[in-house]
Amino acid sequence: MDCLFCKIINREIPADIVYEDDEVLAFNDISPQAPTHVLIIPKQHIATLNDIEESQLATIGRLQFVAAKLARERGFAEDGYRVVMNCNEDGGQTVYHIHMHLMGGRRFTWPAG
């Protein structure tokens, strides 16, 4: 498989890993859009949100749990943060392995753009 995030999971490509468990890996984004910008990914390859199966719901929920955990650990959970998942080209997805962006440490506005 020629997936960038699968290569990070398999340690074929280096990343600044900030969290790992049996199901999830989180690492700092190489092009951060906030003081904290972490990508949280399932270790199981799932291309897009459209490809999630019911048997994977616990793993998808774990992404959200890890986002909140990291926000608390980094001290911005109470002030607030943004969690984003993009789907397909029009949604802004550029790597076809689902991932959650955790961004914090600054004020965000809406609409996002």
Side-chain angles (χ1 to χ4, degrees):
M1 180 175 297
D2 195 33
C3 170
L4 175 68
F5 290 171
C6 286
K7 289 179 178 182
I8 289 172
I9 292 165
N10 293 326
R11 306 303 199 269
E12 297 169 27
I13 295 175
D16 184 10
I17 296 170
V18 298
Y19 178 87
E20 183 173 16
D21 65 28
D22 290 342
E23 298 176 63
V24 172
L25 185 75
F27 52 94
N28 287 317
D29 193 300
I30 61 169
S31 181
Q33 303 301 305
T36 294
H37 187 165
V38 174
L39 299 180
I40 305 166
I41 64 173
K43 288 185 174 179
Q44 179 182 11
H45 182 85
I46 305 167
T48 76
L49 287 173
N50 295 332
D51 299 307
I52 296 169
E53 297 179 6
E54 193 168 352
S55 63
Q56 298 164 320
L57 294 180
T59 298
I60 302 311
R62 185 137 191 90
L63 299 177
Q64 294 175 317
F65 173 82
V66 170
K69 173 182 173 54
L70 291 172
R72 283 190 304 275
E73 288 175 357
R74 289 164 183 250
F76 55 78
E78 293 302 316
D79 290 336
Y81 53 96
R82 181 164 287 171
V83 175
V84 176
M85 292 182 82
N86 302 320
C87 185
N88 285 328
E89 186 176 352
D90 282 358
Q93 186 174 8
T94 58
V95 177
Y96 285 81
H97 182 126
I98 64 168
H99 52 287
M100 178 177 286
H101 296 258
L102 166 65
M103 294 174 282
R106 71 170 175 89
R107 180 175 292 272
F108 295 91
T109 59
W110 194 258

